[in-house]
Amino acid sequence: MTLQAAQNPSADSSKALYGGKGTRRITVHDIAAAKTRGEKWPMLTAYDAMTASVFDEAGIPVILVGDSMGNCHLGYDTTVPVTMDEMTLLSAAVVRGTRRALVVGDLPFGSYQEGPVQALRNATRLVKDAGVGAIKLEGGERSLPQTELLVQAGIPVMSHLGLTPQSVNTMGYRVQGRSDEAAHKLLRDAKAAQDAGAFAVVLELVPAELAAEVTRSLHIPTIGIGAGAGTDAQVLVWTDMAGLTGGKVPRFTKQYANLRETLGDAARAFAEDVGGGVFPAEEHTFH
């Protein structure tokens, strides 16, 4: 029985996003139903087929191929350099590695800012060439025309508000929505995204009280990252979650493993075996 079912005995665990019994692809309709049930659910990023398959088998219902790949997979300093070619290639790999999860592909910086037509062209590429089930784009009111056209074209849209990493050169990395004016704007942006047809809203680096207020105000799910426990879902960058990222860990991240240490130990053990003539041994050798 899932935690949600334990808390709510009337809940149908077979329909739960996390721990559900279904094997078909999760859709945005399932996401909406989870909001109605009051089910909280997890989302993780992934950038390759193997990692995505692990998360899919673990029951993670939504996997985001985020432009965070720029920082933690491609070696860029920010998400800004990520290209549509890179996004399409890695999104396709994640789709191939999954069977049940809804795969959401990010529209990278420069792929939708020109306007709705550019957004539709690039979102269509992610849907047709990579096979994603939805796309994510940053911005509130400034991205409404793009959201509206994509939804009209039949492409589900996840909106991203609060700290929007693609705007790092103008806003920096800091908590958003702390002033009354900024809080009102974020709430207005969230409602506008919902009205434009977005099926969910990511809230990044937002005060917990504000994120909870946005969640109560919307009939679509909110997905928090550094936004407190009051959102409908939570997302983490997988390399942060699994302890693979080097250096300082963001405050909002909880590390559930230490893969950086584990992989380092394995690499050193391999090197020592090779240097000492221990590997390959007889059982690793063909005759």
Side-chain angles (χ1 to χ4, degrees), residues 6-270:
Q7 295 173 338
N8 181 6
S10 64
D12 185 351
S13 62
S14 67
K15 297 181 180 179
L17 291 184
Y18 176 71
K21 299 177 181 178
T23 56
R24 63 169 176 78
R25 283 279 181 189
I26 289 171
T27 69
V28 296
H29 299 291
D30 300 312
I31 302 298
K35 173 89 171 184
T36 302
R37 291 193 302 269
E39 177 190 353
K40 289 183 177 288
W41 46 273
M43 179 167 81
L44 285 171
T45 65
Y47 318 106
D48 63 86
M50 185 175 295
T51 305
S53 70
V54 172
F55 297 157
D56 196 52
E57 291 170 6
I60 300 299
V62 184
I63 295 178
L64 171 66
V65 190
D67 59 4
S68 49
M69 67 172 66
N71 306 82
C72 60
H73 192 75
L74 298 175
Y76 300 139
D77 291 333
T78 70
T79 66
V80 172
V82 175
T83 67
M84 274 302 303
D85 285 345
E86 291 164 341
M87 185 60 65
T88 304
L89 177 68
L90 299 191
S91 294
V94 169
V95 171
R96 288 193 294 269
T98 58
R99 295 293 179 269
R100 180 174 181 263
L102 170 64
V103 178
V104 181
D106 246 339
L107 283 182
F109 180 74
S111 68
Y112 62 95
Q113 282 84 355
E114 288 181 13
V117 174
Q118 184 199 30
L120 178 59
R121 180 171 61 252
N122 286 314
T124 299
R125 183 178 175 188
L126 285 181
V127 172
K128 288 174 65 70
D129 295 350
V132 303
I135 66 95
K136 181 175 76 67
L137 55 79
E138 294 183 0
E141 292 179 340
R142 62 185 169 88
S143 298
L144 293 184
Q146 288 90 328
T147 299
E148 290 173 346
L149 182 58
L150 296 187
V151 172
Q152 289 171 9
I155 300 175
V157 175
M158 177 182 289
S159 184
H160 186 155
L161 303 174
L163 173 67
T164 48
Q166 292 175 12
S167 302
V168 62
N169 290 326
T170 58
M171 69 169 51
Y173 288 105
R174 62 178 185 272
V175 177
Q176 303 295 307
R178 278 183 162 155
S179 70
D180 289 343
E181 180 181 357
H184 289 316
K185 184 180 186 310
L186 191 142
L187 182 57
R188 188 169 63 249
D189 280 344
K191 290 180 177 179
Q194 174 180 266
D195 293 343
F199 75 91
V201 176
V202 173
L203 301 174
E204 181 169 358
L205 284 192
V206 173
E209 297 81 1
L210 176 57
E213 181 182 357
V214 172
T215 301
R216 290 190 297 268
S217 300
L218 301 183
H219 61 72
I220 61 174
T222 58
I223 304 162
I225 177 166
T231 55
D232 296 300
Q234 297 290 330
V235 60
L236 285 177
V237 172
W238 90 262
T239 51
D240 292 341
M241 178 276 299
L244 190 59
T245 305
K248 184 179 180 181
V249 177
R251 175 180 175 179
F252 55 79
T253 293
K254 179 176 179 179
Q255 289 186 314
Y256 289 84
N258 192 345
L259 292 193
R260 194 173 187 88
E261 180 177 319
T262 299
L263 287 175
D265 288 345
R268 284 185 286 272
F270 165 68

